[in-house]
Amino acid sequence: MRFVSVEIESFLGHFLRISEISSNFAGKSKNEYEQKMKKNALSILIVLAGVLFLASCGSTKDVAYFQNSNYVDLSQSQVLYDARIMPKDQLTITVSATNDEAAAPFNMTVPTPYSVNSRSTYSQAMLQTYLVDNGGNVNFPILGTIHLGGLTKSEAEQMIQKRIKPFLSEEENPIVTVRMTGYQISVIGEVARPGTFTVSREKITVLEALAQAGDLTIYGLRKNVQLIREDANGQKSIHILDLTDANLVNSPYYYLQQNDVLYVTPNKVKAQNSSVGSMTTLWFSATSILISLTSLLYNILK
């Protein structure tokens, strides 16, 4: 930006020189005046081209992701991620057995109301969702209160299966399926489409989350993406992620947990533009007028 400022000062200096030549025109010949006007008009056009060039210049080192990918050891990332159940998660728990009547007491359903010709009726029943309380517990039919907080889905399924077996015949080998229905993450800041997104697969990486938000804008700092996270005890933490460093894939924050928030910090250009506000529009308007006047003078005198 310092070079751009220097070029702008040079541009204004050339324009002032045109004004000075115009004021001294009475004491000089017309040919001499035209020659100086052409020279200064050409100089101004060159300066303006330089300003536009410098303003558009950018370094790919601040934009490209994973710049050191050829030197990263990916052997540390050979672990499959499995989300853990946290307070305020919404779960569906399904129990299946060869004897449907035996499994029915464990499958709570809720009829879905709807209206037909202004008369209320109910559609096919849907499975009850369970809200995990702050202690990591849910109140499950027959079993009562069970603790699921901190468990993966597989661990929760195995634990529930073990608990319900005594209520079934010895021949039964029930199948328990646990799903998270409220797995959400949020992306805000310098992205194309900020918002909150529901994750159906119960697994999402930082890059996938940014892709859902339309990727970073050109004003987003790739080296300063902030991850705001709350753990099962309510403790908040902020972690800085560098998208230009391929070691991110080995980071414990590469996979997002439910309710994580990604904040993409704006760079200095965006911050300055926001503070300048309407003055930016005024500056560009003034520049356009000066360019038009210079072009007009050049066309008259050539």
Side-chain angles (χ1 to χ4, degrees), residues 1-29:
M1 294 301 294
R2 177 176 174 271
F3 292 110
V4 175
S5 300
V6 171
E7 293 293 346
I8 292 174
E9 291 176 2
S10 176
F11 165 74
L12 294 176
H14 280 294
F15 189 78
L16 291 174
R17 287 178 60 191
I18 291 178
S19 301
E20 182 180 355
I21 292 173
S22 300
S23 63
N24 296 331
F25 172 64
K28 298 182 179 181
S29 67

Side-chain angles (χ1 to χ4, degrees), residues 28-292:
K28 298 182 179 181
S29 67
K30 183 177 179 180
N31 288 337
E32 182 181 356
Y33 171 77
E34 290 180 352
Q35 290 297 325
K36 289 189 175 182
M37 286 297 291
K38 289 181 179 180
K39 180 179 178 181
N40 281 278
L42 183 59
S43 299
I44 289 175
L45 293 176
I46 294 174
V47 171
L48 285 174
V51 170
L52 293 175
F53 174 77
L54 291 174
S56 63
C57 283
S59 176
T60 56
K61 71 178 182 179
D62 296 326
V63 177
Y65 298 164
F66 292 176
Q67 297 176 20
N68 59 336
S69 58
N70 293 332
Y71 308 99
V72 174
D73 180 12
L74 297 179
S75 60
Q76 304 177 37
S77 64
Q78 295 178 353
V79 178
L80 293 176
Y81 176 80
D82 203 354
R84 295 189 176 272
I85 298 171
M86 297 180 63
K88 304 307 178 185
D89 280 349
Q90 289 184 330
L91 309 176
T92 59
I93 303 175
T94 307
V95 178
S96 302
T98 55
N99 187 345
D100 293 337
E101 292 183 359
F106 300 100
N107 295 313
M108 288 188 62
T109 57
V110 178
T112 304
Y114 68 98
S115 297
V116 177
N117 297 327
S118 300
R119 300 174 64 180
S120 297
T121 184
Y122 292 89
S123 66
Q124 184 178 0
M126 298 181 62
L127 283 174
Q128 170 74 47
T129 58
Y130 300 91
L131 180 65
V132 183
D133 64 21
N134 289 339
N137 304 314
V138 299
N139 191 14
F140 194 70
I142 309 299
L143 302 182
T145 301
I146 56 177
H147 184 77
L148 300 179
L151 301 179
T152 65
K153 289 193 310 172
S154 298
E155 292 169 347
E157 290 167 353
Q158 293 173 11
M159 186 268 283
I160 296 173
Q161 183 187 46
K162 183 178 180 180
R163 293 279 300 273
I164 67 176
K165 267 192 171 184
F167 295 92
L168 303 175
S169 63
E170 294 183 358
E171 297 79 15
E172 289 288 358
N173 186 25
I175 298 175
V176 179
T177 304
V178 177
R179 292 296 306 270
M180 299 180 185
T181 61
Y183 198 113
Q184 293 183 327
I185 54 92
S186 299
V187 184
I188 59 177
E190 284 302 319
V191 292
R193 297 186 301 274
T196 299
F197 307 95
T198 300
V199 182
S200 60
R201 296 184 296 115
E202 302 162 3
K203 182 178 89 168
I204 188 170
T205 68
V206 171
L207 297 181
E208 290 171 333
L210 293 174
Q212 289 197 22
D215 203 1
L216 278 69
T217 69
I218 196 65
Y219 299 108
L221 286 176
R222 273 67 176 163
K223 295 183 178 181
N224 190 13
V225 176
Q226 300 183 30
L227 169 62
I228 299 94
R229 173 169 291 178
E230 180 178 351
D231 64 19
N233 299 317
Q235 179 64 48
K236 284 81 172 176
S237 58
I238 299 178
H239 310 276
I240 306 300
L241 308 180
D242 183 358
L243 301 182
T244 67
D245 185 1
N247 283 296
L248 176 63
V249 298
N250 295 323
S251 167
Y253 310 113
Y254 180 62
Y255 287 99
L256 299 182
Q257 295 180 4
Q258 52 270 54
N259 304 316
D260 276 354
V261 178
L262 284 177
Y263 170 59
V264 180
T265 310
N267 60 18
K268 291 182 179 179
V269 174
K270 182 60 178 287
Q272 290 172 353
N273 289 345
S274 299
S275 63
V276 171
S278 59
M279 288 301 295
T280 303
T281 303
L282 181 61
W283 187 90
F284 279 113
S285 298
T287 303
S288 298
I289 294 174
L290 292 176
I291 294 173
S292 299

